[in-house]
Amino acid sequence: MESGDLSQAEKELIRQSWATVNQDPQHHGTVLFTRLFDLEPDLVKLFPYNSTQFSSARECLASPDFLQHVRKVMLVIDAAVSSLENLSSLQEYLIGLGKKHQAIGVKTESFNTVGESLLYALEKGLGPAFSTPAREAWTKLYSVVVKMMSRGWQEGKEGE
Ligand code: HEM
């Protein structure tokens, strides 16, 4: 799907909701990852900073290194929201990012769980303002991001 599939009204819903959530990316990003680890607890093992694995999601979520990753994810989403008129400008970057995550050991299905967790965090952050059309718009946007990352993931897999 290309960015042209998002209507102007959908782009506006995305911008509005992100303006609220992005006031506190650390908090909403932590809500996202808390949900992600509830849904897929094994993902905690893929964050071995300084070669030591966290023994629990709670320990991982409290680590400054991990919080940097939360920040990185929120920055990628912010870049997507800022590039709604031209999402293909992010293509090369997202392909590279997908390749990197393949090397780290992330499965493509986990990208979808991140998407679910993002919707969860938006819902928690926005409450009733997170309308059904807003949810649909975000689902479309995130699927463009995942599609590009998955392409890179596949390239990484084939290059093994
Ligand atoms: C599916 C679960 C994910 C896991 C287990 C995971 C894990 C990791 C790990 C271990 C690193 C390297 C250490 C670090 O930079 O903190 C990393 C880097 C990174 N991740 Fe993730 N990640 C996941 C999802 C995502 C998603 C969905 C995004 C963005 C939409 C993302 C964005 C980034 C960025 C921007 C970097 C830095 C890449 C660089 O250094 O060039 N990650 N990730």
Side-chain angles (χ1 to χ4, degrees):
M1 186 184 48
E2 300 302 328
S3 47
D5 291 343
L6 280 163
S7 68
Q8 284 306 325
E10 286 177 320
K11 289 176 191 169
E12 207 36 56
L13 285 170
I14 291 172
R15 288 191 190 103
Q16 278 170 8
S17 43
W18 189 246
T20 305
V21 167
N22 205 32
Q23 280 170 16
D24 193 350
Q26 197 68 263
H27 167 71
H28 298 287
T30 302
V31 172
L32 187 166
F33 272 91
T34 303
R35 179 67 171 174
L36 182 66
F37 292 151
D38 279 348
L39 296 172
E40 271 191 56
D42 281 352
L43 287 178
V44 173
K45 295 189 195 129
L46 296 178
F47 290 99
Y49 296 105
N50 307 316
S51 317
T52 41
Q53 272 188 4
F54 297 114
S55 56
S56 66
R58 182 198 282 252
E59 197 183 290
C60 183
L61 287 157
S63 142
D65 284 327
F66 177 75
L67 291 177
Q68 284 299 318
H69 183 268
V70 171
R71 205 175 66 88
K72 289 173 196 172
V73 172
M74 297 305 267
L75 280 173
V76 173
I77 299 168
D78 188 53
V81 174
S82 303
S83 310
L84 283 175
E85 299 300 340
N86 185 17
L87 282 174
S88 57
S89 65
L90 292 178
Q91 186 156 307
E92 287 310 307
Y93 175 74
L94 290 174
I95 287 175
L97 196 58
K99 218 178 258 185
K100 243 172 221 174
H101 284 77
Q102 188 273 333
I104 286 165
V106 178
K107 300 275 169 266
T108 40
E109 304 86 72
S110 301
F111 294 153
N112 297 328
T113 322
V114 175
E116 274 179 53
S117 308
L118 170 64
L119 293 176
Y120 175 88
L122 289 166
E123 193 166 6
K124 285 280 161 210
L126 298 163
F130 192 49
S131 60
T132 304
R135 171 181 280 272
E136 281 168 8
W138 273 99
T139 303
K140 283 190 192 177
L141 173 61
Y142 188 73
S143 80
V144 177
V145 172
V146 167
K147 198 174 150 194
M148 292 177 185
M149 285 181 75
S150 298
R151 237 172 86 183
W153 190 97
Q154 204 53 46
E155 285 179 21
K157 189 81 186 159
E158 282 157 15
E160 270 180 354

